Structures are given as structure tokens and as C-alpha cells.
Amino acid sequence: MINRFMEYLENFPQWLAIVLIFCIVLGIIVICSLLLLIYNFICEYMNKSDEPDDNFYVDAAYFHEKGQRARQEDSLYVSPLEDYNKHGLIALVTDGMGGMAHGDFVSRFVVSEFSKMSHEDYDNREAILKKIKDVSNSIFKKYNREAGATLVLVRINNNMLDLYSVGDSDLILIRNGKSTVLNHKQNYGAILISNLAGAGKTTEDAYLVPEARQLIDFIGNNNPNVSYTRQSLRLQDDDVILIASDGVLDALSVDNLAEYASLGDARRSASRIKSEIKSLKLNSQDNYTCILLKLRHMIF
């Protein structure tokens, strides 16, 4: 093919052949340069995919309702939203264990302890883990496992999320209309489900076991096992985070939450979820508390 092309060029004046060859070489150089730029852009984008993006803000709302319990044993905390750009956001829900004394006191104590942590401590994963164990051990020493609470704590800095969980409260991510529970429940039912699934058996029977909801770990245990993210989770534009006591998912399915949480701003979405739970009027309704966070990418 090259020989035929050279024969073809011999029919042109020498100066025209030189110009034609120059244009072809120049075109090849331009195309190669463009391909290299595209390749570098893709590589740069892929390398930055797990890096923080500070062009996000958080829209937050919550509800804190008493169900059929004798007293409200849920507590919650959200750090000031005006500090988000500089220090990120801390949000937690803690649920005093039903059937045990002092659940309301324990949940309030947990909130008090974590609300006093410094911004620098929240930058340190090990410091948070130590604080969780210290708080739990303090409750253990006072009540010797006769009082306790669950805990789900998240830290969002820019668009990166860190999760810490003890017990059976829920952290739910809603993305593109689909809900995913990000933490696993530390109760006997979760162990049953894992064992049945591992044996290739149906997991439905696990929900019928009376002891299924008994916690195997909680705040108030000695050196509890903390479930946490070893690497921060990168959030996306329009992601919704729900931090909820178990009274929320006792009433509504995970799929329902995806529908209700997509309604406008955080306040409207939270109000819809609360109204749906209240409208069911369940005789066994537990206290239900939820922090709803919507992540939005700023255009300017």
C-alpha cells in the first residue's frame, strides 16, 4: 500500500507532494496528541475518583417520635450545618435498649459524650473508635450490662462518608432510587441469617425465632465490637443518607424509604416518612427517630 501511495505521489509536482506529506504527518501528530490528552484526562479522573470533593453541601432534617413505648429512649445529634464547609458534619442516632432500665439516660449520655468531641478528634478514625469503646466501658462499669444503647454515627467531610455502628440501628444509602443498608445488625437474627444463607437454605425462618432481635453487642458492653469503614465511602450528587433507630424499618420497608426520601428537600422527605409511619398506627410501634441528609453538588 505504501508503494502504491509513493507511485501516486510521483504524478504530483514535487512541491505539492512535499506539502501533502507534511499535512499527513501533521495530521497524525495532532490525532496522537489528542488521544494522549484524552488518555491523561481519563487517568487523572480515575485517580481522583476517591478523593474528596469540597464542592458539596448537606441539606438536613430529622424527626424524633415516641411510639408505643412508655418513654422516649432514642436520642440524636447533628453538628451545626454552618460548620460543614470547614469541619464536615457529624450525625448520630442512639437507641436505648428496650426491656432494660435507664435506656433513656444511656442514649442521652452517648449524645452528650460525642457532642463534646473536638473537630480534630473526628479527623482521626482511631480517636473515634477509642471514644466509642471508652463510652461503652463507662456504661458497663456503672450498669454491668443491665443498661445499654445502639449507635450509628457518621462523619461526612466534603463528599466522603465514614460510618461507625454498634447494635441494630440502621444507616441507609439511597442512590438513583435504590436503597442499601450500609451497616449490618449486631443481633442474633443476623447470625441466623448468615448461617442459613451460607448453608444454601432459606432465611425466612430466622425472622420467626423469638430471640432474633436480641443484641449480641451494644454500647454498654465491655469493649464492644465496632463495625466501621476502613476506607471512606465516596458520596455522589443527590445521595440521601438515613440514620435511623430500628423503629423506622420496623414500620416501613427499605424500598418504601427510597420513594419517600426523593420528595423535594430534606425537610419534606423526612416529614413524609414520619407521616407514613404515624398513619400505620401499629400497636407494636417502637420509638422512631431518623436523621435525613441530602447531599447536593454546588453549581457555583
Side-chain angles (χ1 to χ4, degrees):
M1 180 179 292
I2 296 176
N3 290 334
R4 292 180 61 185
F5 178 70
M6 295 303 295
E7 292 175 358
Y8 179 75
L9 287 179
E10 290 178 356
N11 297 323
F12 287 86
Q14 186 176 10
W15 68 269
L16 186 58
I18 293 173
V19 171
L20 183 59
I21 292 174
F22 175 79
C23 291
I24 292 173
V25 172
L26 182 61
I28 293 173
I29 293 173
V30 170
I31 292 173
C32 290
S33 298
L34 288 173
L35 291 174
L36 182 60
L37 286 173
I38 293 171
Y39 173 78
N40 289 335
F41 175 81
I42 293 173
C43 289
E44 184 178 354
Y45 177 80
M46 294 299 292
N47 290 334
K48 288 185 176 181
S49 62
D50 291 328
E51 294 181 1
D53 184 342
D54 61 2
N55 201 27
F56 279 82
Y57 73 95
V58 173
D59 183 20
Y62 71 88
F63 56 83
H64 182 53
E65 300 292 313
K66 190 171 80 70
Q68 300 302 319
R69 297 281 188 181
R71 60 185 184 272
Q72 174 61 276
E73 295 178 318
D74 294 353
S75 296
L76 74 154
Y77 170 73
V78 182
S79 62
L81 291 181
E82 56 266 27
D83 292 343
Y84 174 71
N85 287 337
K86 188 173 182 180
H87 300 294
L89 179 137
I90 304 299
L92 70 87
V93 167
T94 174
D95 179 1
M97 292 168 59
M100 288 187 172
H102 313 295
D104 51 347
F105 166 80
V106 172
S107 68
R108 291 197 300 269
F109 175 74
V110 171
V111 164
S112 174
E113 288 298 300
F114 283 98
S115 65
K116 292 186 291 188
M117 283 184 67
S118 69
H119 299 299
E120 290 74 18
D121 285 338
Y122 277 115
D123 288 333
N124 187 328
R125 186 176 283 113
E126 293 302 320
I128 298 175
L129 292 171
K130 182 178 184 303
K131 183 67 173 182
I132 292 173
K133 290 183 180 291
D134 287 347
V135 170
S136 185
N137 292 345
S138 175
I139 297 169
F140 170 77
K141 289 177 182 178
K142 184 171 184 178
Y143 295 107
N144 193 26
R145 293 196 183 94
E146 293 185 358
T150 68
L151 172 68
V152 174
L153 182 152
V154 302
R155 187 202 187 214
I156 301 177
N157 190 26
N158 299 322
N159 65 324
M160 308 299 286
L161 179 144
D162 288 295
L163 153 70
Y164 305 85
S165 176
V166 181
D168 64 354
S169 292
D170 298 293
L171 178 66
I172 302 156
L173 169 66
I174 300 175
R175 176 178 292 172
N176 299 326
K178 295 182 179 180
S179 300
T180 304
V181 180
L182 296 182
N183 62 328
H184 69 273
K185 291 181 180 291
Q186 294 175 324
N187 59 22
Y188 184 54
I191 294 178
L192 289 176
I193 291 170
S194 177
N195 290 341
L196 289 170
K201 300 178 180 179
T202 178
T203 61
E204 293 179 359
D205 291 343
Y207 298 97
L208 304 178
V209 177
E211 297 83 5
R213 299 193 62 168
Q214 291 183 2
L215 294 179
I216 59 175
D217 226 330
F218 54 91
I219 300 296
N221 201 4
N222 188 41
N223 290 321
N225 179 36
V226 183
S227 175
Y228 68 99
T229 46
R230 270 66 173 179
Q231 187 172 4
S232 301
L233 172 66
R234 185 174 186 267
L235 299 175
Q236 299 178 7
D237 190 23
D238 286 332
D239 277 354
V240 179
I241 297 293
L242 298 177
I243 311 162
S245 62
D246 59 354
V248 174
L249 283 187
D250 285 348
L252 300 176
S253 72
V254 173
D255 293 334
N256 288 146
L257 290 175
E259 175 187 351
Y260 303 146
S262 63
L263 301 174
D265 60 13
R267 184 174 182 180
R268 183 180 176 188
S269 297
S271 178
R272 175 65 185 277
I273 295 172
K274 181 180 74 172
S275 298
E276 289 294 331
I277 296 173
K278 187 170 292 188
S279 68
L280 295 174
K281 299 180 179 179
L282 299 177
N283 293 329
S284 59
Q285 180 62 59
D286 196 357
N287 301 322
Y288 50 108
T289 296
C290 179
I291 301 170
L292 189 149
L293 308 171
K294 287 197 172 187
L295 202 71
R296 297 289 172 83
H297 197 272
M298 294 183 291
I299 299 176
F300 301 105

